[in-house]
Amino acid sequence: MTKIWHPFTQHGLGQTIPKITRAQDAILYTQDGREIIDGISSWWVQTHGHCHPQIVAAIQQQSAQLDQIIFAGWTHEPAQILADGLAEFLPKSLDHIFFSDSGSTAVEVALKMALGYWHNRGEQRHHILVMDHSYHGDTIGAMSVGARGVFNQAYGPLLFDVSAVPFPKPDAVQATLDALTAACRDPDNRPAAFIVEPLVLGAGGMLTYAPTILAEMRNICSAHDVLFIADEVMTGWGRTGTIFACEQAGIEPDILCMAKGLTGGVVPLAVTAATTPIFDAHYSPDRSKMFFHSSSFTANPIACAAANANLEIWRNQPVQKRIDHIVQRHAQFAEQLQRYDSTTNVRQCGTILVFEIADSHGHYMSTLGPELLRFFAEENVLLRPLGNTVYIMPPYCITDAQLSRIYTVVEAAIDEFA
Ligand code: PLP
């Protein structure tokens, strides 16, 4: 039988890979008859739950009418409806929508937009500022602006140089702001842009920081004429308690990346939203100034229809109420987690609840990660710790009973492994 090569999976460990045959709401059904609670929204993508009937219907309808069309020089209604609809959810200044297919490509597009902006204005700025511990995806550009480590060691020579400011630890926020200011002011290497995950650094360890810090970082970039890119691929669509994390800081980035929850997490689609000045820098009778980026499935009509159904759900259903309920329940459970001697750094940002299990090898490659993963799977809960960092990020349709079950299993894991 031809072998399937799975992502972020060490096949040499001989783990069995469960087969999922069906999914509904927060439940995954396995081939061998088990029901698994999806505690991480299937890698942070699902928002309203699996196979949401409105999104399924939109996909069915659209796929029977217009499945795919080249988007260079051609357009279609689902894309225009989506662009108009996104205006209701995004800051007013982000009035240009560029489509792609994944979070990584949304980031690549953002970086190319920033570089194109300076190039077309006749300023040679190629340097990108990033934050330590960031993750922005797995393509070469996205890896270049992400943290370096075991994940990308083999590809190191291909990654471009960036300057990283330290993560704003609570006792060292000023150091981050000072480092950002100094990097923005560097006369020999004027940065094109600063890219950041707002409020929560996801794959880098679910590290959280305050909205006031995000706002200050935005101000520093504005003051020094450095473009500010918000990567909301994970934080977008409600995860942090508001539709976009930037809202909590009251900021408007120059460029915003979204993917995952854009279609409710059902089919791949991404957007890089940009301001008029960034679009205008590429607007010219001169063809050499156009934005040189595309992929075959840019703005696929079926994916756009799914995203339009997602927007309808946000407009017409009590999504915020569901989110607020999860936020409340997480807060109660966070208090319980604080009581354990063996848990550290319990933190919450909206629907994301995180803590570390004390472990002397506390990093991503710690053996605790796979052991916890196996433990949770045996308890019929899908949680995928990052090393000894355990996080819960459920779809918003999760029931009280399902959430309680996740909490119980997490406490059992603490008892077992701490
Ligand atoms: N940016 C952030 C903040 C992410 O969390 C991710 C994925 O988890 C990405 C980008 C890459 O998205 P994708 O996996 O869709 O390429």
Side-chain angles (χ1 to χ4, degrees), residues 44 102-104 107 135-137 197 231 233-234 259-260:
W44 324 341
S102 72
S104 301
V107 167
Y135 176 79
H136 297 289
E197 294 166 86
D231 177 356
V233 169
M234 184 193 77
K260 295 186 187 276

Side-chain angles (χ1 to χ4, degrees), residues 123-143:
E123 262 195 68
Q124 290 309 307
R125 293 210 211 179
H126 305 111
H127 196 54
I128 306 290
L129 307 179
V130 305
M131 185 182 278
D132 272 342
H133 305 297
S134 297
Y135 176 79
H136 297 289
D138 279 336
T139 50
I140 293 291
M143 277 193 292

